[in-house]
Amino acid sequence: MKNFIIFLILAAINVAAYAKPHCQGFNNYDNKVTIVSTDYKAGSQYTVSDVIFVPSWKGKEYKATSVSTTVENGVATVTLEFPHITQFSNPKVILRINGKKRTFKVCQ
């Protein structure tokens, strides 16, 4: 029984360590940029911080003005809002999930 509990703990740590968000939606309406991502390996704890939007290869970065996270049945949905931006070229989001740095491409 003790080995089983250790296995469950290690499995939970492994899931959290490999969290990987995927872009589900992107829009530039209502004078803001909104990006929604989903992570199917969220586990029970999913803390998002240090969110930055990089809209093009030019390297200018924008901090999130709003971050909203929900976790249901191990699936996290994160809604990010940024200032209104009009030009995009291969945009990406850089953020920390449970303290680990992650990057994902923004769907357009």
Side-chain angles (χ1 to χ4, degrees):
M1 184 66 173
K2 184 178 179 182
N3 288 339
F4 181 70
I5 292 171
I6 292 172
F7 171 77
L8 288 177
I9 291 170
L10 291 174
I13 291 170
N14 188 38
V15 167
Y18 292 103
K20 183 169 172 94
H22 300 280
C23 183
Q24 295 299 315
F26 167 85
N27 75 57
N28 195 20
Y29 304 126
D30 299 326
N31 206 28
K32 63 185 174 188
V33 172
T34 304
I35 300 169
V36 177
S37 69
T38 303
D39 191 337
Y40 296 99
K41 295 182 179 183
S44 59
Q45 180 182 352
Y46 203 85
T47 304
V48 177
S49 61
D50 303 329
V51 182
I52 297 173
F53 178 58
V54 184
S56 72
W57 52 268
K58 294 179 183 176
K60 187 161 175 96
E61 300 178 347
Y62 298 87
K63 290 186 178 185
T65 56
S66 175
V67 177
S68 173
T69 305
T70 59
V71 179
E72 188 172 320
N73 297 325
V75 178
T77 302
V78 180
T79 302
L80 308 169
E81 291 181 358
F82 301 90
H84 187 267
I85 303 163
T86 57
Q87 295 182 357
F88 304 93
S89 176
N90 299 317
K92 65 181 177 179
V93 173
I94 303 167
L95 53 103
R96 291 192 179 277
I97 300 171
N98 298 333
K100 297 203 181 266
K101 188 175 181 180
R102 300 285 183 232
T103 302
F104 68 90
K105 290 184 178 182
V106 175
C107 49
Q108 292 186 56

